[in-house]
Amino acid sequence: MTLLRVEVSSGTIMFSSALTVTDCILMSTQLIGSTASSLLSISGGTLTGSAMSLSGGSVVIEGSSVLVNSPVSITGTTLSVSQCELQSDGASVPLTIESGGSATVTGTVFHSSVGNVTAMSVSDGGSFVVGESQLIGGDGISDPFPCDGTP
C-alpha cells in the first residue's frame, strides 16, 4: 500500500507486507507492522503524536521526515533513519530498540523541547549505530552525536 501526500488525523494503519508513506501528514496515527515481511518506508512529511511499532521486517525513515512526539519501537526489525528530525517533549522515548532489533541512524537531529531527554533506548539483544547526527536540548544547545567526548 502507498500513501502519497495524504493527511490522516487519527486511527490505526496495520500492515503485514509493504507500506510506503511519502510526503504525508500523520497525526495521532498508529503504524503497526506485525509480520517478518512487514516493510515500512517513510520519506518526507511529518508525523505528530503518532507511533510506529514493528516486530519483524524492516523500516526506512528518510528524506527530511520530521517525527514530532512520535516514538518508534522495533523488535526483531532492521531500522534505518537518515536525514530526519526526531522531536520529543520528554513524554516518550523517540527510538526504542528491543531484543533482535537493529538500528542505524545517520545525519539525523534528535531535538528535545524540554531540556535533556532520553533520545533512544536499547534493550539487551538490540543494537544501535549512529553517525553524523546532532542532539539539541531544550536550551537550543547542539551537541554532536555520537558524542565527541568534550564537555
Side-chain angles (χ1 to χ4, degrees):
M1 174 165 57
T2 299
L3 301 175
L4 177 62
R5 293 194 242 356
V6 298
E7 184 173 317
V8 178
S9 60
S10 69
T12 301
I13 300 172
M14 296 185 74
F15 57 99
S16 59
S17 58
L19 174 62
T20 301
V21 179
T22 305
D23 294 329
C24 292
I25 297 173
L26 304 180
M27 297 171 290
S28 301
T29 303
Q30 307 296 312
L31 300 173
I32 302 172
S34 59
T35 67
S37 60
S38 298
L39 304 172
L40 174 61
S41 175
I42 297 176
S43 181
T46 303
L47 281 72
T48 303
S50 298
M52 285 174 267
S53 176
L54 277 86
S55 55
S58 65
V59 182
V60 175
I61 305 172
E62 62 187 0
S64 301
S65 299
V66 178
L67 281 63
V68 181
N69 301 321
S70 297
V72 177
S73 177
I74 63 169
T75 303
T77 301
T78 302
L79 169 68
S80 173
V81 181
S82 177
Q83 306 301 319
C84 297
E85 184 171 346
L86 305 178
Q87 299 177 11
S88 177
D89 64 4
S92 63
V93 176
L95 181 56
T96 301
I97 304 153
E98 301 291 343
S99 181
S102 173
T104 302
V105 176
T106 56
T108 294
V109 173
F110 290 84
H111 189 188
S112 165
S113 62
V114 293
N116 297 328
V117 298
T118 301
M120 91 281 312
S121 171
V122 182
S123 296
D124 286 342
S127 68
F128 177 72
V129 176
V130 63
E132 301 177 15
S133 295
Q134 296 288 312
L135 296 171
I136 301 176
D139 56 6
I141 295 175
S142 178
D143 292 306
F145 190 43
C147 302
D148 62 7
T150 59

